[in-house]
Amino acid sequence: MFDFSGFASVNLETVIAAVALIGTAIAWLVDRYVLRRKRLVYRVQVDARIGVYPRADQTQRMVDVEVRHQGSVVTDPSIVLLRLDNAGGMDIDPQDMHEKVAFAFPDRKIVGLKVTEAHPSSLGEMLERRLSPANFVDTSKLVLPRIAINRGDHFKFLLVLSGTGQGVSHSGYLAGGSTGGGVYHEPRPRGPGRRTLLFGALSLMLVGALVAFFLVDVLKPPDDCSSGQLRVIGSTAVEPTMRELRTAYAAECTNADITIAANGSRSGVRSLAELGGKDAEQASRQIAMSDGPAESAPELRGEPVAVVVFAVVVNRSADVTGVSTTQLRDIYSGKLTNWKQLGGRDLPIRMVSRVGPDSGSRRVFREKVLAGDQELGISSDDCARDDDAVAKYHRCEVGTTEELLTRVNEIDGGIGYAELGSARKYPQISIATIDKVAPDTAKVEDRSYRFWEVEHAYTYKTPDPKSLTAAFLDYIGSTQARPVLERGGLVPCSDLPTGFCG
C-alpha cells in the first residue's frame, strides 16, 4: 500500500503558489520566445478547381465552365486564396526577409494575381506596385517583395492557376526578434481541438492561482507613495510615456496630483530655471524632461533616466522603407525632392519637422543625422499645401511629436522624425532603416544605430527626499516602471552597460 502520511505536512497554499509560479514561468517563456519573434503566418483559405467536369455518361445533365485569360482558354483552372498575417509581437522589416520568402504551387502555373483585403490598404497598394506580372505569370512560384509589415498587418493573394497540381508550399526564411523568426503555415481552422481545450483549461487554472495568491504583488503600489502636487514639463517625445507613468503612480498613490504639460526639451528646462529664480518652492514641484543634457544651469540637477530611440518615419505611399544618411542629408538640404529619386513612387517629398530650437527631437536629428546642418526654411503652414506655388522643396513645422506623426500619417509623401514607441502606433507610417540598420534596442547598445539620445530628468536643486518630486523620480527608475518605459520605446539606463548613459 502507498503511504500518503507525509503529505499532511505540506502546506496547500505553498503547493498552489508553486503551481502559480510555474504558470508565471510559462507565461514569461511564451512572451519571451513566441510573442517577441517576428512571425509571418500564412493560411490557404481556398484551393479549388474551377468548373464542372462531367463523366461521359452525364454529359446531357452537366455543363462545362470555360475560363479564359487574355483571349486564351486556361487549361485545368483552379483558384487559391492565400492569407498572410504578421502574427508576431514585432514589426517585420524588409531586411528580415532572407532567401526570398516565396510560395510555390507544384504542377501549376500562375495565370493572374490580385491583392485583396489588405490592412492597411496602403500595404495592398504597395504590394500591387511591387508585383510586376513579368516576374510571376507563367511561373509556379510567387516571391514576396521585401517590404515592411507592421504588427497586426495582413493581406490576401487571390490567384488563378493553370494545371492539375494541388497544394501550396513555402520557402525562404524570416529573421529577427529576440529569438529569431520564421514563416509558418496555419491550417484552416475547424474549431478547437481536445488539446487546445485542455491547454486552455489548464492555463485558466494557473492564471486563477496566480491571481489568487500573487494579486497583492502584481498590484503592488509604488515603494514610496507621496502626496502633493507635481508638474512634469519638457520633452514631447516622451510625453505619452510620462502620462502612462503618471496614471500608474496616481492609481495607487491617490493623494498625488501629477500634471503632464510637455512644451519641448529646451523650453521645459529653461522655464524651470527661470521659475526657480522667482519662486523656489513652486520650482521644487516641477520636473523637466530633456532629450539629451541641458545647457548649463547651475541650480538644476539632472539625472539620466533612459535612452530614447528615435526613428525616421515615412508615409507608406512613398514606397520607400530605407534611406541612407547621405540621402537624408540630401532630402533636408533640398537636393532630393521626389521619392522616385530614391526608388519610390513619383511623389514630392514633404518634410514635416519640429519647431526649433526648443525641440529636443529636432536637436538630436540635426546632430546625429544631419551632422550639425540646419534644416531648410518653411514652405507650408499646413504641410499639405505650399504657400509658394513654385517651391523647390516642401517643408513645414509642427509643435509636438504627436502633431508630426499625425501629419506624416495623413500626407502622401510625408517624412519626419520621432520617438520610436509613438511612431509604431500609426498605420500609414513605415519606420525606415538608416544605412540598412533598423531602430532597435540591440542596435543602440552595440552603437550600430546612431539616432538616439539619453533622456534626462531635471529638478530645481536636489528635491526633498520626502517630496512627491523625489518619489516620482524614484518610481521612474524603478523596476515597476520598466514595462511602461519599454512599451514607449525607451531603454532604461539600468539595463544598459555601466557608463552608457553617462
Side-chain angles (χ1 to χ4, degrees):
M1 298 293 293
F2 294 102
D3 182 11
F4 295 100
S5 60
F7 286 97
S9 61
V10 178
N11 186 291
L12 179 60
E13 292 185 2
T14 301
V15 174
I16 298 177
V19 172
L21 185 60
I22 294 172
T24 303
I26 292 172
W28 181 85
L29 287 170
V30 170
D31 179 71
R32 180 69 173 84
Y33 292 103
V34 178
L35 298 181
R36 295 299 295 171
R37 284 183 178 178
K38 296 195 176 185
R39 297 167 56 91
L40 186 63
V41 172
Y42 75 94
R43 180 191 303 166
V44 182
Q45 295 186 317
V46 176
D47 188 354
R49 300 180 68 186
I50 300 174
V52 180
Y53 300 91
R55 294 195 302 270
D57 60 346
Q58 296 177 324
T59 54
Q60 301 301 317
R61 291 177 293 154
M62 305 293 288
V63 177
D64 276 316
V65 176
E66 185 177 81
V67 177
R68 288 178 173 270
H69 178 68
Q70 295 182 346
S72 301
V73 176
V74 178
T75 306
D76 297 319
S78 59
I79 187 170
V80 168
L81 184 61
L82 186 66
R83 173 172 174 139
L84 284 84
D85 293 78
N86 180 347
M90 304 181 72
D91 294 341
I92 296 172
D93 300 312
Q95 66 271 17
D96 295 327
M97 296 186 182
H98 290 231
E99 300 176 7
K100 293 185 178 180
V101 174
F103 299 92
F105 311 92
D107 298 321
R108 289 188 285 182
K109 291 187 177 181
I110 300 171
V111 175
L113 168 67
K114 181 69 177 177
V115 180
T116 66
E117 299 183 34
H119 175 78
S121 58
S122 58
L123 178 60
E125 294 169 0
M126 182 184 298
L127 282 165
E128 290 276 10
R129 292 192 299 270
R130 291 288 186 90
L131 289 168
S132 173
N135 295 333
F136 61 84
V137 170
D138 291 331
T139 71
S140 61
K141 182 179 290 186
L142 170 62
V143 179
L144 191 66
R146 292 187 177 183
I147 60 172
I149 307 175
N150 293 337
R151 288 175 293 177
D153 286 1
H154 64 263
F155 53 91
K156 295 181 181 180
F157 289 123
L158 179 62
L159 301 104
V160 176
L161 302 149
S162 171
T164 58
Q166 199 171 21
V168 180
S169 63
H170 84 270
S171 60
Y173 182 71
L174 184 70
S178 56
T179 59
V183 182
Y184 301 90
H185 176 242
E186 181 180 87
R188 186 174 180 178
R190 299 182 182 275
R194 183 178 299 177
R195 291 184 180 180
T196 302
L197 292 173
L198 182 62
F199 179 76
L202 179 61
S203 298
L204 286 174
M205 184 176 67
L206 291 173
V207 170
L210 179 64
V211 171
F213 289 94
F214 291 94
L215 186 61
V216 173
D217 287 334
V218 171
L219 298 180
K220 184 179 179 181
D223 296 329
D224 184 10
C225 270
S226 295
S227 60
Q229 292 184 327
L230 175 65
R231 185 178 176 87
V232 180
I233 58 178
S235 170
T236 67
V238 298
E239 180 182 7
T241 300
M242 298 310 297
R243 289 188 182 278
E244 190 173 349
L245 288 171
R246 181 271 311 274
T247 300
Y249 186 91
E252 299 299 332
C253 302
T254 55
N255 292 323
D257 181 8
I258 304 174
T259 302
I260 310 297
N263 57 346
S265 294
R266 290 190 175 183
S267 179
V269 171
R270 185 172 59 249
S271 61
L272 176 60
E274 292 173 352
L275 180 62
K278 300 175 183 177
D279 190 337
E281 183 178 352
Q282 186 176 351
S284 69
R285 296 193 292 270
Q286 288 197 3
I287 297 173
M289 305 302 297
S290 174
D291 304 335
E295 296 176 354
S296 177
E299 299 297 328
L300 299 189
R301 298 291 181 269
E303 60 179 83
V305 175
V307 165
V308 185
V309 183
F310 290 95
V312 170
V313 294
V314 179
N315 186 282
R316 286 180 180 268
S317 62
D319 203 4
V320 170
T321 57
V323 289
S324 68
T325 302
T326 300
Q327 288 172 335
L328 284 171
R329 292 171 184 171
D330 286 346
I331 288 172
Y332 282 86
S333 65
K335 294 178 182 178
L336 294 176
T337 58
N338 194 295
W339 287 111
K340 68 180 180 181
Q341 295 172 287
L342 288 84
R345 292 182 63 195
D346 186 6
L347 278 175
I349 297 174
R350 293 191 172 275
M351 296 170 276
V352 185
S353 301
R354 290 290 308 282
V355 174
D358 290 336
S359 167
S361 303
R362 176 169 171 161
R363 179 189 60 79
V364 176
F365 182 70
R366 185 181 71 244
E367 293 179 358
K368 298 292 182 72
V369 179
L370 301 185
D373 291 342
Q374 294 290 346
E375 296 183 44
L376 296 166
I378 299 173
S379 69
S380 172
D381 289 331
D382 64 1
C383 301
R385 295 180 300 273
D386 294 301
D387 300 328
D388 184 354
V390 293
K392 295 181 179 179
Y393 60 85
H394 311 275
R395 183 178 173 275
C396 69
E397 293 182 354
V398 294
T400 67
T401 298
E402 184 179 1
E403 286 181 87
L404 183 147
L405 290 169
T406 299
R407 297 292 177 86
V408 174
N409 187 66
E410 295 174 346
I411 297 172
D412 286 352
I415 182 174
Y417 44 83
E419 178 264 329
L420 178 61
S422 298
R424 287 172 170 160
K425 302 173 184 177
Y426 290 79
Q428 301 303 323
I429 282 179
S430 289
I431 297 171
T433 60
I434 302 178
D435 297 324
K436 299 182 180 181
V437 181
D440 181 80
T441 303
K443 300 301 181 183
V444 168
E445 189 169 343
D446 67 19
R447 299 183 185 271
S448 60
Y449 186 79
R450 296 178 294 177
F451 191 15
W452 55 270
E453 185 54 277
V454 178
E455 189 71 19
H456 288 71
Y458 283 89
T459 59
Y460 183 74
K461 297 185 177 181
T462 303
D464 185 334
K466 297 182 180 180
S467 67
L468 176 58
T469 302
F472 191 65
L473 279 175
D474 288 342
Y475 178 65
I476 293 174
S478 70
T479 56
Q480 295 155 303
R482 181 174 299 170
V484 179
L485 294 175
E486 291 175 346
R487 279 197 297 274
L490 281 74
V491 187
C493 286
S494 57
D495 289 354
L496 293 166
T498 302
F500 192 96
C501 291

